[in-house]
Amino acid sequence: MALLATTAFAQPADLVLRNGKIVTMNLSAPNAQAIAVRGDRIAWLGSNADAAKWVGPRTKVIDLHGMLAIPGFIEGHGHFTSLGDFRMGLDLREARTWDAIVAQVRRAAAQAKPGEWIIGRGWHQSKWDRAPEPNVEGFPLHESLDKVSPNNPVLLEHASGHAAFANGKAMEAAGITRATENPTGGEILKDAQGNPTGLLRERAQGLASAAHSNWEAKRTATERAAIQRKSIDTAIDECLSKGITTFEDAGSPFSTVDTLKRMAENHELRMRIWMMLRTSNDQLAPNLDRYRTIGAGGNFFTVRAIKRQIDGALGSRGAWLLSPYSDKPDSAGLNTEDPADIRKTAELAIAHDYQLCVHAIGDRANREVLDIFEQVFREHPDKKELRWRIEHAQHLNAADIPRFGKLGVIAEMQGIHCTSDAPYVLLRLGAKRAEEGAYVWQKLMKSGAIVGNGTDTPVEDVSPLASFYASVSRKLKDGSVFYPDQRMSREEALRSYTLNNAYAAFEEKLKGSLETGKLADITVLSRDIMTVPEDEIPATDVVYTVVGGKVAFDHSVTRGQR
């Protein structure tokens, strides 16, 4: 025994978690009671009885008191800096009337300097208790905002990110008048007299956001850098508090990549970020080799994917459908980017060893993307294990579901979108299309497809627990269950949020399960979400978030600071 103790203490662990229930997501050893970490890697998993062998005089020991430890949550599809920006603007997600939003803008305008833009996000007309009056297609008119913000441009982004509402001052800055034509892939909603209402669908948002960017550009470089850093730190804080150890960012420009890579190399990132590039093919072509980055700063930052977007969202009727909307027979949605241009992006991705990730929500959009992928795969038979992704894959035609498994295309989905969108899915699609292809997780998995999970934050709260609950319950606020045969089991849901997301990023050898030699990214929860009654899952708290063997979030410390 003395020899054993001497050997153990020669290299004690830096961190030991013990007296817990550890669900590893490793099929060969699915459970443990304790885990030991040296440096940023897992050194051992086993029983409480053996945990003491790993404890030395400087080992940090955390007694889990029976709590659940799991692989760190991986956000499979979100918008990282947008999360930080959202927290710095008006949060409109809980508004249940347009009048409540107008009141928020009134308060912001009272504190703003003349000419300062007022930015908000999160409103959704389908969640309002009543339609505003007057309205066009259920959307308000900009005059209601003009009355409370006559001197400040206002731009309020839809919860989906696929529409925005601008007041008169913002439209003036953007040059939007009754004579302004719809941009390709977008729509300026107008009233019966041809006047713009303020609602900008899809790529029409770019007119107002460009005007806002021009205003932001007037700040000094120091001011812009400080705002960006605050946004990043705000996003990191929120993610860590919700148990997220890796964030897969769904598309950012080179400038954001430069900032985050520099932070990673300076060891200033407190969580891991995997990022897709999003810019034009002309910009991508000369820069892809230079920007491809694997594991910078000790596996804290990676760039190995490109993001494109072929359609909009269902809520704003921008999802591209094979047949018209049931509640708007004159529209089948919007094709927001030219499929031929996306085809060129696919060739760039193949040539430079990047994954291609394409936003597709409607059944027409998904079919178009699958067609592009299939054609490119056929023309490059030597390229294997590409792991190209369709982001969202929300509404599918029955004929296209098996193609995901056959082609090896990853369906990177968001469980929480199902329960958020369900109240209007039947209105938009009708019962037949909804049952056939709306959020069909089980059908996709049975095709052999890998299904990931996430929140699309800031479209939804970044909480993995909320999306996990939606994935296993598909339960709406009224207690009804949306097509229960498509629910995930708890093991499937946890896998979708850990190992599947790691696989979708070519990182399953580093993370996604708790195994010796893998990164010590661990989330500890207050309740056992694998066994507690289903409706208790949302009341679960994140107690610890461990990134690379270091406690990056401690609920007891945070609670004590409140």
Side-chain angles (χ1 to χ4, degrees):
M1 290 298 294
L3 179 61
L4 179 63
T6 302
T7 302
F9 278 103
Q11 280 190 305
D14 297 306
L15 173 69
V16 169
L17 307 181
R18 62 186 179 189
N19 295 325
K21 175 184 175 181
I22 299 172
V23 173
T24 68
M25 286 289 106
N26 175 11
L27 292 177
S28 63
N31 296 290
Q33 296 174 316
I35 185 168
V37 177
R38 284 198 188 119
D40 66 350
R41 303 281 175 153
I42 296 170
W44 168 87
L45 294 107
S47 67
N48 284 324
D50 290 334
K53 300 173 186 177
W54 295 88
V55 177
R58 296 183 180 179
T59 303
K60 180 178 178 65
V61 179
I62 296 177
D63 191 327
L64 297 180
H65 299 288
M67 291 186 296
L68 176 68
I70 59 174
F73 284 124
I74 299 173
E75 167 59 57
H77 176 111
H79 302 274
F80 183 71
T81 55
S82 293
L83 171 59
D85 294 344
F86 167 73
R87 287 301 183 196
M88 293 161 64
L90 299 181
D91 181 350
L92 310 176
R93 288 192 298 212
E94 299 304 315
R96 291 298 173 260
T97 65
W98 175 248
D99 290 342
I101 291 172
V102 172
Q104 282 186 261
V105 172
R106 179 190 292 113
R107 291 191 291 271
Q111 300 176 16
K113 298 175 182 177
E116 182 179 356
W117 282 67
I118 296 170
I119 303 297
R121 180 167 180 163
W123 64 271
H124 201 304
Q125 77 283 1
S126 294
K127 298 179 181 179
W128 294 340
D129 296 338
R130 61 183 182 277
E133 291 294 343
N135 72 75
V136 174
E137 295 184 15
F139 298 105
L141 306 183
H142 68 83
E143 286 83 2
S144 55
L145 289 183
D146 297 347
K147 291 177 183 178
V148 301
S149 184
N151 300 314
N152 297 90
V154 180
L155 187 61
L156 308 177
E157 195 168 358
H158 191 268
S160 66
H162 293 274
F165 198 85
N167 74 341
K169 202 73 175 175
M171 288 193 288
E172 178 186 330
I176 298 173
T177 69
R178 60 181 292 123
T180 306
E181 296 183 358
N182 290 331
T184 301
E187 179 188 4
I188 301 167
L189 186 64
K190 297 180 179 179
D191 62 20
Q193 290 72 45
N195 297 310
T197 64
L199 193 281
L200 308 172
R201 280 195 177 103
E202 300 300 341
R203 300 191 77 173
Q205 297 177 83
L207 302 174
S209 60
H212 174 241
S213 295
N214 289 338
W215 177 77
E216 287 280 5
K218 296 176 183 177
R219 299 183 189 270
T220 67
T222 300
E223 289 173 333
R224 292 197 301 273
I227 292 170
Q228 184 187 45
R229 182 57 185 261
K230 182 179 179 181
S231 175
I232 291 169
D233 286 336
T234 299
I236 291 174
D237 287 342
E238 178 153 2
C239 289
L240 291 174
S241 75
K242 292 178 177 175
I244 298 166
T245 56
T246 294
F247 193 109
E248 295 181 5
D249 176 79
S252 290
F254 293 134
S255 57
T256 301
V257 173
D258 291 338
T259 298
L260 291 172
K261 184 177 181 181
R262 184 166 57 249
M263 289 180 66
E265 291 171 342
N266 292 335
H267 305 290
E268 295 172 346
L269 281 182
R270 291 169 287 136
M271 63 177 296
R272 307 184 199 281
I273 298 173
W274 179 95
M275 183 162 277
M276 309 173 198
L277 293 174
R278 187 169 189 185
T279 187
S280 68
N281 285 336
D282 288 344
Q283 291 292 318
L284 288 170
N287 286 296
L288 285 175
D289 291 338
R290 182 161 65 93
Y291 272 90
R292 193 176 190 277
T293 303
I294 306 296
N299 294 302
F300 271 82
F301 187 67
T302 289
V303 179
R304 61 154 304 132
I306 303 169
K307 169 74 178 300
R308 294 299 303 266
Q309 176 184 327
I310 201 168
D311 73 339
L314 192 73
S316 56
R317 299 188 186 88
W320 194 16
L321 303 180
L322 291 165
S323 302
Y325 281 86
S326 295
D327 59 352
K328 197 175 189 298
D330 63 338
S331 174
L334 291 168
N335 166 214
T336 57
E337 293 179 9
D338 183 359
D341 198 52
I342 295 175
R343 178 71 170 79
K344 293 177 182 176
T345 308
E347 290 295 341
L348 287 172
I350 283 281
H352 296 272
D353 194 18
Y354 273 72
Q355 289 172 266
L356 180 57
C357 310
V358 183
H359 164 121
I361 288 182
D363 51 11
R364 172 73 183 275
N366 278 276
R367 178 169 292 178
E368 293 279 345
V369 175
L370 288 168
D371 287 347
I372 291 171
F373 284 10
E374 185 169 18
Q375 183 180 8
V376 173
F377 296 169
R378 188 166 52 243
E379 292 175 1
H380 297 274
D382 56 314
K383 302 290 186 179
K384 308 294 184 183
E385 276 287 292
L386 294 173
R387 302 190 195 182
W388 285 10
R389 303 166 34 152
I390 290 185
E391 310 296 314
H392 309 305
Q394 285 180 4
H395 305 291
L396 308 174
N397 183 273
D400 292 317
I401 295 170
R403 300 176 69 191
F404 282 81
K406 180 181 178 182
L407 295 172
V409 173
I410 294 164
E412 194 59 55
M413 306 180 75
Q414 296 76 43
I416 192 68
H417 278 347
C418 173
T419 53
S420 290
D421 294 359
Y424 59 79
V425 169
L426 291 173
L427 295 174
R428 299 285 192 273
L429 300 180
K432 182 179 183 298
R433 280 189 292 184
E435 182 174 13
E436 176 183 90
Y439 315 95
V440 286
W441 307 323
Q442 286 297 335
K443 292 179 182 179
L444 282 163
M445 288 188 287
K446 287 173 182 175
S447 84
I450 297 294
V451 176
N453 213 329
T455 62
D456 200 15
T457 190
V459 176
E460 305 278 1
D461 189 306
V462 76
S463 169
L465 288 166
S467 202
F468 177 92
Y469 174 67
S471 301
V472 302
S473 73
R474 292 174 75 107
K475 186 178 289 186
L476 311 189
K477 289 183 178 179
D478 64 4
S480 63
V481 178
F482 188 77
Y483 299 108
D485 63 308
Q486 294 303 304
R487 290 179 293 193
M488 294 185 191
S489 70
R490 299 195 197 194
E491 183 178 352
E492 288 168 342
L494 184 57
R495 188 170 296 276
S496 74
Y497 240 114
T498 54
L499 198 55
N500 284 5
N501 280 344
Y503 176 88
F506 281 97
E507 294 187 328
E508 75 277 10
K509 293 182 180 179
L510 280 174
K511 61 183 73 164
S513 63
L514 301 177
E515 301 180 51
T516 301
K518 282 193 171 185
L519 292 168
D521 294 353
I522 308 162
T523 298
V524 177
L525 303 175
S526 65
R527 302 184 187 211
D528 182 356
I529 60 172
M530 308 303 284
T531 61
V532 296
E534 185 175 272
D535 288 340
E536 291 184 16
I537 293 172
T540 304
D541 290 324
V542 173
V543 182
Y544 298 104
T545 305
V546 178
V547 181
K550 298 185 184 301
V551 177
F553 172 80
D554 182 337
H555 179 71
S556 63
V557 173
T558 304
R559 183 176 54 201
Q561 291 175 344
R562 290 174 182 168

